[in-house]
Amino acid sequence: MGRSIVRLKDIADKTGFSTNTVSLALRESPRIPEQTRTLIRQAANELNYLPNQIAKSLVSRETRTIGLVLTDITNPTLTRVAQAIEIALSERGYGTLFATSNNTLSEEIRAIEMFRSRQVDGMLIYPTSHRKLDHIRPLRQANYPIVLLVGDPDAGIDAVCMDERRGGYKATRHLIDMGHRRIAIIDSSNPLGNLEKREGYQQALAEAGIEADPDFTVDPRGHSVGRGFWAMDQLMAGPRRPSAVFAANDSLALGALRWCQSHGVRVPDDVAIAGFDNIEFAEFAGVPLTSVNYAVETVTRMAVDRVMRLISAGDVLPEPRVTQIDPDLVVRESTRPVR
């Protein structure tokens, strides 16, 4: 049995007014006396009437919705970003539609096409790859409002993001300043992936005259705590053990920390650990983690402001603009000067 949809005619039948009068009353038209509007609103509430947003959007050419594509809904930082974006858009009278690519390019493309078919007014996207954007770039060139939440200054697409290269540099520079020379990294080595944090790590080593050691690089093949535990096991089983580890996110860092606790390796006395994102669990870990802070409130506010600006621009968008936010390093007990 199909759902019963309450129409304006149903309210008209219930109240005895014309359909046109009902429509004007529900739009709070001053042409309709207040007493009549009150009676019609009461009848609409009793019938559980909801406005037909599809019909309204056909007239206004706006759906008042934004599509948000995440790479991994289980990532604590992305969960916080999604919540903040939903709140910010709600304050502006917009709804949010969510989709997750699960770090798969084909799923990302499917999500974008799904949002386009639903005629969302704009999109905010965490792309699976910072370097494979050929499916997004033509949309921006066709004046479709899209803002990436990670960015390449040369991509030709608007973006608001943390400067991940700078964050990787700061974390590694901090470990160097603590006196470490054998510094490992836990991060994806996929050449088509997101290498900004690794590039920052390599830059800091090069400036300090430290040669990057292949034995101190492990691809965790994922982003979870479990993959961090596995990656740390690979590092510590190598021919030389690092004295410090930089992990590309806090989940990986927490996995590395758990490995150390399970194997009697003291943090930071035997090995220092730094992460990225500054999630809540990092602060309250068994050994609180030093971490690069992801400024959720700043990123979301600026990204929502930008997509609203693009939507309001109409059929001719301004030139793409990439805003990279310089991250702060939050220093905690997992790192300290070498003794």
Side-chain angles (χ1 to χ4, degrees), residues 167 170-178 180 250 268 272-278 282-283 287-293 327-337:
K170 283 189 172 183
T172 308
R173 183 74 246 181
H174 167 71
L175 295 172
I176 293 169
D177 291 343
M178 294 295 99
H180 294 282
D250 284 342
I273 299 176
F276 202 110
D277 287 338
N278 192 32
E283 181 179 359
V287 178
L289 285 171
T290 290
S291 183
V292 177
N293 186 54
D328 295 322
L329 182 70
V330 181
V331 178
R332 299 194 180 96
E333 288 92 320
S334 68
T335 60
R336 72 177 177 206

Side-chain angles (χ1 to χ4, degrees), residues 233-307:
D233 189 64
Q234 300 298 302
L235 278 174
M236 301 304 274
R240 289 195 309 144
R241 285 190 167 188
S243 67
V245 175
F246 167 51
N249 68 41
D250 284 342
S251 293
L252 294 170
L254 288 168
L257 175 62
R258 179 58 184 157
W259 186 96
C260 291
Q261 293 171 330
S262 300
H263 292 79
V265 176
R266 299 170 301 164
V267 176
D269 297 311
D270 299 326
V271 61
I273 299 176
F276 202 110
D277 287 338
N278 192 32
I279 64 175
E280 183 180 14
F281 300 122
E283 181 179 359
F284 296 99
V287 178
L289 285 171
T290 290
S291 183
V292 177
N293 186 54
Y294 189 107
V296 171
E297 292 76 12
T298 302
V299 170
T300 54
R301 174 178 52 79
M302 295 181 70
V304 168
D305 285 348
R306 186 59 180 171
V307 79

Side-chain angles (χ1 to χ4, degrees), residues 191-203:
L192 296 179
N194 307 322
L195 304 179
E196 286 79 7
K197 296 171 188 175
R198 179 185 295 262
E199 290 169 352
Y201 160 82
Q202 293 169 338
Q203 178 187 351

Side-chain angles (χ1 to χ4, degrees), residues 119-132:
Q119 298 184 352
V120 298
D121 296 334
M123 295 187 214
L124 298 163
I125 302 174
Y126 274 99
T128 297
S129 170
H130 303 185
R131 291 164 171 77
K132 299 184 72 172

